[in-house]
Amino acid sequence: MSIQEFDRRAVRASVDVVAEVTVDDLGRPTPCAGWTLADLLAHMTVQHHGFAAAARGAGADPEIWKVKPLGNDAVPLYTKAAEEVLAAFAEDGVLERGFTLPEFAPPEPGGKPVFPAPRAIGFHFIDYLVHAWDVARSIGIDYRPEPDLVEAAWPIALAVPDDERRTRPGAAFQPGLPVDGTTSRFDRVLAVLGRTPDWTPAS
């Protein structure tokens, strides 16, 4: 299965989870340290816009990546952004393109894209597989991705650098936690990316 299809399924699952969010939920804490659910949805929404722009050759524009408050329209705005990025990733020839992702690495001289499309879409895939879990935990609903998505995510999670960037304000992933080989594969993905698998809003 292509990375585009894995990503499409992860994003669709995230849309289903976000659809359960109410306006009253937006102030809830999330597994992302220091972020409310409103903050998390704003991050998830702008990342969709940024990756869609990158797929179309416009990722170097810093304005695209600036997080903006979504207010009470967070859920429909998130859904619209998800449709935008899925359409961009489904375009003919997208896997032959390069993506400029300034939040991951600055463009090369002359603005040449620095990430091959499959790798860039892999970044997007792991982000939304985990962020769907973040949203679900915040509102107290169950979320377990399908096993093949988890297996596809495992090597990508292991490849995410675990360095000082994870300690910066606004980092999507926190420093990795010890992985217990007896836990589920998805719990291990979460731990590698700095999540406590049994996190609750009262944690």
Side-chain angles (χ1 to χ4, degrees):
M1 187 174 294
S2 71
I3 189 61
Q4 292 155 292
E5 179 61 12
F6 284 129
D7 180 79
R8 185 193 68 79
R9 288 167 57 198
V11 171
R12 289 286 182 211
S14 78
V15 169
D16 290 342
V17 172
V18 171
E20 301 296 321
V21 173
T22 69
V23 170
D24 291 340
D25 292 326
L26 295 176
R28 287 177 176 264
T30 72
C32 303
W35 286 4
T36 64
L37 189 50
D39 297 329
L40 175 58
L41 291 176
H43 164 80
M44 292 168 68
T45 298
V46 78
Q47 290 289 308
H48 281 329
H49 290 311
F51 272 84
R56 291 166 171 157
D61 182 356
E63 289 298 315
I64 293 168
W65 301 92
K66 287 186 177 179
V67 178
K68 301 176 180 65
L70 304 179
N72 291 345
D73 293 327
V75 172
L77 289 172
Y78 176 77
T79 301
K80 183 178 179 181
E83 295 297 338
E84 177 190 5
V85 77
L86 292 181
F89 285 178
E91 290 176 0
D92 289 342
V94 72
L95 290 180
E96 284 70 56
R97 301 174 192 169
F99 284 41
T100 299
L101 304 173
E103 292 192 345
F104 292 82
E108 295 179 2
K112 183 180 178 181
V114 294
F115 293 105
R119 188 178 180 203
I121 296 172
F123 294 157
H124 190 263
F125 163 58
I126 193 72
D127 209 23
Y128 287 87
L129 194 75
V130 174
H131 281 328
W133 178 87
D134 291 330
V135 175
R137 281 287 170 162
S138 298
I139 60 175
I141 66 173
D142 189 50
Y143 166 77
R144 285 281 155 178
E146 296 176 14
D148 64 328
L149 292 183
V150 177
E151 290 304 312
W154 178 240
I156 299 173
L158 291 176
V160 175
D162 193 351
D163 55 23
E164 74 283 350
R165 285 171 289 186
R166 294 202 192 186
T167 63
R168 294 173 184 169
F173 299 130
Q174 297 153 39
L177 302 174
V179 174
D180 181 348
T182 65
T183 61
S184 73
R185 177 75 95 187
F186 185 55
D187 284 352
R188 294 172 73 188
V189 168
L190 294 172
V192 164
L193 296 175
R195 301 295 194 269
T196 302
D198 60 356
W199 185 92
T200 66
S203 296

